[in-house]
Amino acid sequence: MNEFLQFLNEPLAQRSLWACGVIGFSNGFVSALVVLRRSSLQIGTLSCALLPGIALAILLFGLFQLSILIGAIMAGLMVGLGSLFVSRTSRMDHDTALSVLHTTAFALGYIILIRLGLQQKVDDWLFGNIMSMGNADLWISYMIGSIAVLCITILHRPLIITLFDSRAAAAMGIPARALNYGIFTLIILVLVSSLQAVGAFLTLGLLVAPAATMYLLTDRAEWLFWGGGLIGGLGAMTAFFLSYPLGWHLGATIIVVLGTLFLLAYLFSPRYGLLRRSRK
C-alpha cells in the first residue's frame, strides 16, 4: 500500500491518472455517436486502419509526434472514405469494402514498422501504454477531446435528428450529408487521441462501452453523451487504481472495467435489465 501511495506522488502517475480521465470522458462522450449511428463494427475496423498511416509518416518524415498524429488521421480518413467510395462505385457493400481495405492497409503498415525496427512501438500502438504518454500527448488528447465535446454540444439537435432519420433532417434543411461526414471525422480524431492510451485493438471498447451502458439505463438520447462521458472518465480512472496493485496492463484494465459496468447494466438495469425482464 505504501508503495502505491509513493507511486501516486510521482509526476508520471499523476499525468497518467489525468490522461485516464480526459481520454475516458472524451471517448465516452463521443461513444454516443457510435451507438446511435449503429456503426460499432465499422469503427472497430477503422481503429486498426490507423497503423499504416503511422508507418508511412515515420518512413517519410521520421519518428515525430506531429507526423504520427497527421499520418494516423489521414489513414483513418482515407480508408473510411475510400471504402465508402468503393461501395458507391461498385456492386460491393460498404462493410465488405471496408474489411478489405483496412486489413490490407494494416498488413502493409505492420510490415513497414517491423522493417524499421519499431517492434516495441508497434506493441504500444496495438495495445496502448498510457504510462508512456508525455505532456505533448496529453495536450493533444485534451484539445481533440475538447473540440469533439464542443462541436457535439453546439450541433446537438441537428446531430440527433440526422442520426435518427437523415431524410427527415434533409427535408428540414439540415445538411445531413455534411453532418455525417463531420461525425465520421470527429470519431476518427478521437480514435487517434486514444491510440497511445489503449491501442488500436482495444480502443473500440473505450469508444462503444460507455454509451452502450447508458443505452441500457435510459431512453433519452441526450443522456447518452454526458452519461457516457462520466462512465468513460470514471471507469478509466477506476482502472488506474486497480491496475497497479493487481499488476495488470492499464489499457486492458480500462476495457475490463467498462465491460464489467456494461454487464452490470445488462443484468440489473431497472428498465431493460435481464433480471427485470425475467421477473416480468
Side-chain angles (χ1 to χ4, degrees), residues 7 26 68 89-90 113 116 136 141 145 166 171 179 193 212 223 228 233 262 270:
F7 172 69
S26 60
I68 292 174
T89 56
S90 70
L113 290 173
L116 292 174
S141 299
S166 58
L179 280 179
S193 73
W223 287 12
F262 173 80

Side-chain angles (χ1 to χ4, degrees), residues 30-46:
V30 177
S31 68
L33 295 178
V34 180
V35 172
L36 293 175
R37 198 168 179 257
R38 302 182 185 275
S39 57
S40 301
L41 292 179
Q42 293 179 5
I43 301 306
T45 58
L46 285 175

Side-chain angles (χ1 to χ4, degrees), residues 29-274:
F29 195 92
V30 177
S31 68
L33 295 178
V34 180
V35 172
L36 293 175
R37 198 168 179 257
R38 302 182 185 275
S39 57
S40 301
L41 292 179
Q42 293 179 5
I43 301 306
T45 58
L46 285 175
S47 65
C48 294
L50 304 179
L51 194 67
I54 295 173
L56 289 177
I58 294 175
L59 183 64
L60 296 175
F61 306 108
L63 186 59
F64 300 105
Q65 185 62 41
L66 183 60
S67 64
I68 292 174
L69 176 66
I70 295 175
I73 293 173
M74 293 303 297
L77 291 175
M78 288 179 65
V79 171
L81 297 178
S83 62
L84 187 62
F85 178 78
V86 170
S87 65
R88 290 184 175 180
T89 56
S90 70
R91 62 180 299 185
M92 196 71 64
D93 64 272
H94 185 210
D95 289 341
T96 302
L98 183 60
S99 297
V100 173
L101 289 181
H102 109 268
T103 51
T104 303
F106 179 85
L108 180 61
Y110 181 78
I111 291 173
I112 293 174
L113 290 173
I114 294 301
R115 294 284 293 178
L116 292 174
L118 297 173
Q119 178 64 51
Q120 180 58 46
K121 285 291 184 180
V122 172
D123 293 340
D124 288 346
W125 288 321
L126 291 182
F127 301 103
N129 187 0
I130 292 181
M131 296 297 181
S132 67
M133 293 184 70
N135 291 329
D137 302 317
L138 186 57
W139 273 107
I140 289 173
S141 299
Y142 177 76
M143 292 301 297
I144 291 177
S146 299
I147 291 171
V149 172
L150 182 62
C151 289
I152 293 172
T153 303
I154 294 174
L155 300 173
H156 181 77
R157 185 174 181 275
L159 277 174
I160 292 295
I161 296 174
T162 302
L163 287 169
F164 278 102
D165 193 337
S166 58
R167 292 184 179 179
M172 297 171 61
I174 298 174
R177 177 168 293 186
L179 280 179
N180 277 319
Y181 283 118
I183 290 171
F184 181 80
T185 302
L186 279 179
I187 292 173
I188 293 297
L189 289 173
V190 173
L191 273 176
V192 173
S193 73
S194 58
L195 182 65
Q196 188 169 346
V198 293
F201 284 164
L202 300 176
T203 188
L204 178 62
L206 189 57
L207 200 51
V208 175
T213 302
M214 281 300 300
Y215 193 73
L216 294 173
L217 301 175
T218 180
D219 290 326
R220 301 188 63 177
E222 59 269 22
W223 287 12
L224 297 182
F225 294 92
W226 294 102
L230 289 175
I231 290 175
L234 293 176
M237 295 175 74
T238 300
F240 173 85
F241 288 102
L242 291 175
S243 64
Y244 187 88
L246 295 175
W248 292 1
H249 182 273
L250 178 52
T253 307
I254 292 174
I255 307 305
V256 169
V257 169
L258 294 178
T260 302
L261 294 176
F262 173 80
L263 180 61
L264 291 174
Y266 170 72
L267 293 174
F268 302 109
S269 170
R271 287 178 175 267
Y272 305 109
L274 180 63

